[in-house]
Amino acid sequence: MKLIGNHTSPYVRKVRIVLSEKKTECEFVINDVWSASTDIEHSNPLGKIPVLVLDDNTCIYDSRVIVEFLDSRAPIQRLIPEGGRERIEVKVWEALADGLQDAAIAMLLEGRRPEGEKSPSWIHRQARKVDAALASMSRSLGKNAWCYGRNFSLADVAVGSALGYLAFRFPENHWQKTYPNLRSLYEKLMQRDSFKSTLPQ
Ligand SMILES: N[C@@H](CCC(=O)N[C@@H](CS)C(=O)NCC(=O)O)C(=O)O
């Protein structure tokens, strides 16, 4: 099994954290999806990472499908509750964290367009989504130890990946000061090997 990705994508980081938490061996293959010479379309017609390639060459994407696959195939350290309302609530946390990343990446890409082509109103629209997602995460986390329930779950993995991405790409966003409970959660997550070894570079 191999994972196609890079060292900066928060979606790839989410998958690498899950692999590490589940003690699943997997080759890591770097692909620069932004380079003209990328061959990522052979593995994912959408041209995006992460892609998990199984031993029979089946390609699995996107990150939400990959983590679900990985969690269901190895019984140790279940990260997604097996069914019912609990499962959906953890997946809503994941959707919120992924959505924060979608908006942050849209801001980053728009900001990289040449002067005169950038749309400040588009950047502002995305920035509002990032702010609203952070506020919602902080509110729902409250004083709890973990995002969902009493145990570490995929909700924490997804939120931690999103917070790490913001810290990496938008250091001027002082979410750590605005939301001390999110800062404490991220500091706690960063004590885990899975988070330490996947810090975006
Ligand atoms: N919903 C997808 C998002 C994946 C995604 O957008 N990956 C970015 C890297 S951070 C990418 O490959 N972008 C290349 C492109 O959009 O062409 C997932 O969860 O896997």
Side-chain angles (χ1 to χ4, degrees), residues 6 8-12 14-15 31 33-34 40-41 44 46-51 61-66 94 98 101-102 105 109 165:
N6 68 19
T8 55
S9 163
Y11 311 98
V12 173
K14 180 177 65 175
V15 172
N31 192 303
V33 284
W34 300 107
I40 190 67
E41 284 85 359
N44 177 354
L46 302 172
K48 295 186 183 207
I49 49 172
V51 180
Y61 45 84
D62 62 6
S63 66
R64 291 188 216 179
V65 183
I66 297 172
E94 184 185 25
D98 281 13
Q101 290 165 187
D102 294 344
I105 290 171
L109 296 180
Y165 185 74

Side-chain angles (χ1 to χ4, degrees), residues 7-201:
H7 289 287
T8 55
S9 163
Y11 311 98
V12 173
R13 187 181 187 199
K14 180 177 65 175
V15 172
R16 292 177 70 208
I17 292 168
V18 168
L19 281 165
S20 168
E21 291 287 341
K22 306 228 19 129
K23 313 260 179 281
T24 301
E25 290 293 321
C26 186
E27 186 189 349
F28 189 39
V29 180
I30 303 295
N31 192 303
D32 179 1
V33 284
W34 300 107
S35 136
S37 60
T38 180
D39 59 355
I40 190 67
E41 284 85 359
H42 296 312
S43 313
N44 177 354
L46 302 172
K48 295 186 183 207
I49 49 172
V51 180
L52 186 73
V53 185
L54 305 187
D55 292 343
D56 66 359
N57 284 327
T58 301
C59 293
I60 301 184
Y61 45 84
D62 62 6
S63 66
R64 291 188 216 179
V65 183
I66 297 172
V67 297
E68 184 154 352
F69 171 77
L70 292 172
D71 196 47
S72 60
R73 77 190 272 281
I76 63 152
Q77 174 73 300
R78 286 305 292 231
L79 295 170
I80 315 177
E82 276 182 54
R85 180 79 183 260
E86 291 86 10
R87 184 175 182 84
I88 295 305
E89 291 199 25
V90 165
K91 291 188 75 77
V92 171
W93 271 102
E94 184 185 25
L96 181 62
D98 281 13
L100 188 160
Q101 290 165 187
D102 294 344
I105 290 171
M107 282 172 71
L108 187 81
L109 296 180
E110 190 67 23
R112 285 180 177 168
R113 285 162 67 106
E115 283 310 326
E117 287 183 22
K118 291 181 203 184
S119 165
S121 65
W122 180 250
I123 293 175
H124 179 66
R125 188 180 170 88
Q126 303 307 322
R128 284 182 51 196
K129 294 182 198 298
V130 170
D131 289 344
L134 285 170
S136 172
M137 285 171 178
S138 175
R139 234 181 358 256
S140 301
L141 176 62
K143 292 187 175 12
N144 299 325
W146 302 109
C147 292
Y148 183 75
R150 295 194 179 172
N151 300 307
F152 172 78
S153 75
L154 180 67
D156 304 290
V157 176
V159 168
S161 301
L163 295 177
Y165 185 74
L166 272 190
F168 173 58
R169 289 293 193 206
F170 296 89
E172 69 280 11
N173 181 322
H174 298 295
W175 57 267
Q176 298 91 333
K177 269 203 190 128
T178 317
Y179 302 111
N181 63 343
L182 294 182
R183 188 195 65 222
S184 305
L185 175 74
Y186 192 66
E187 284 172 357
K188 187 162 60 179
L189 292 171
M190 276 303 296
Q191 286 166 19
R192 302 176 84 91
D193 285 344
S194 59
F195 273 79
K196 271 190 235 163
S197 64
T198 55
L199 202 61
Q201 301 156 16

